[in-house]
Amino acid sequence: GEVRVVSCGDDGTVRVWAIEGGEALQVLRGHASWVVGVATFVAHDDPRVVSCGDDRTICNWDSRAGGDALVVPKGHLGAVYGVATVVANEDTRAVSCGHDGTVRVWDAVEGGDARVVLRGHRGYVRGVTTVVVNGEVRVVSCGDDGTILIWAIEGGEALQVLRGHTGFVRGVTTFVVNNSVRVVSCGRDKRVCIWDAIKGGDPLQVLRGHSG
């Protein structure tokens, strides 16, 4: 019942912290280079951490017991820039994106080969997240081609292509307001864009103010 903070860094480690007191409870070592992103999920009542890095790998850790990575699925052909988790059809999936221009969907618990490889971006894929739309899991990705893609997790179809940024899109997340699903993106063009995840189209709102 206690809250933990999970962080990652250029020192190649993943750290699990007690939010009260600031103590590092676990230092997870297994990546050979920078660790770029982390996500969490629960498997068989055990809290897990999924991390991704510049070494082309994704690591699955027991955040309570520590030790070596439980699963290290490989498949990306370059650095892995982002990772997210989602429950789909009672299975927990890890979703990753990277330098090779792909988004990959994995069995988060067992690892193995990617179940689905999503191809549609032209260039590096910088960020990925997941969202449930009308009961269906969607993957949302963004990349250096200036687009945000919304995918069906099964079948690999790009359902929406969101265009509005004038440069690389660096990050993406989602939220729900009044039963409507929104996508939020940020880019090298110094803008934050808010989109309708179902209808697509132009941004609903563009937030300006960053100077770099």
Side-chain angles (χ1 to χ4, degrees), residues 82-130:
V83 65
T85 57
V86 66
V87 176
N89 299 324
E90 299 184 356
D91 292 329
T92 303
R93 311 286 176 83
V95 183
S96 59
C97 65
H99 184 278
D100 60 5
T102 69
V103 176
R104 296 174 186 250
V105 182
W106 315 80
D107 184 318
V109 178
E110 301 296 333
D113 295 334
R115 290 190 174 189
V116 181
V117 179
L118 307 175
R119 304 178 192 276
H121 284 284
R122 293 177 295 173
Y124 305 163
V125 187
R126 296 289 183 176
V128 67
T129 190
T130 59

Side-chain angles (χ1 to χ4, degrees), residues 106-192:
W106 315 80
D107 184 318
V109 178
E110 301 296 333
D113 295 334
R115 290 190 174 189
V116 181
V117 179
L118 307 175
R119 304 178 192 276
H121 284 284
R122 293 177 295 173
Y124 305 163
V125 187
R126 296 289 183 176
V128 67
T129 190
T130 59
V131 66
V132 177
V133 177
N134 296 329
E136 299 289 336
V137 176
R138 300 288 184 252
V139 174
V140 185
S141 59
C142 64
D144 283 6
D145 59 0
T147 68
I148 299 102
L149 300 184
I150 301 176
W151 309 82
I153 200 168
E154 302 291 347
E157 178 187 2
L159 304 175
Q160 297 284 354
V161 181
L162 307 178
R163 295 183 173 90
H165 286 283
T166 57
F168 302 162
V169 187
R170 296 301 197 188
V172 66
T173 190
T174 60
F175 69 96
V176 177
V177 57
N178 298 326
N179 295 319
S180 297
V181 181
R182 299 288 187 252
V183 173
V184 183
S185 59
C186 61
R188 194 175 180 181
D189 58 5
K190 309 172 189 176
R191 299 190 295 176
V192 177

Side-chain angles (χ1 to χ4, degrees), residues 189-192 206-212:
D189 58 5
K190 309 172 189 176
R191 299 190 295 176
V192 177
V206 178
L207 309 177
R208 297 178 173 87
H210 285 287
S211 59

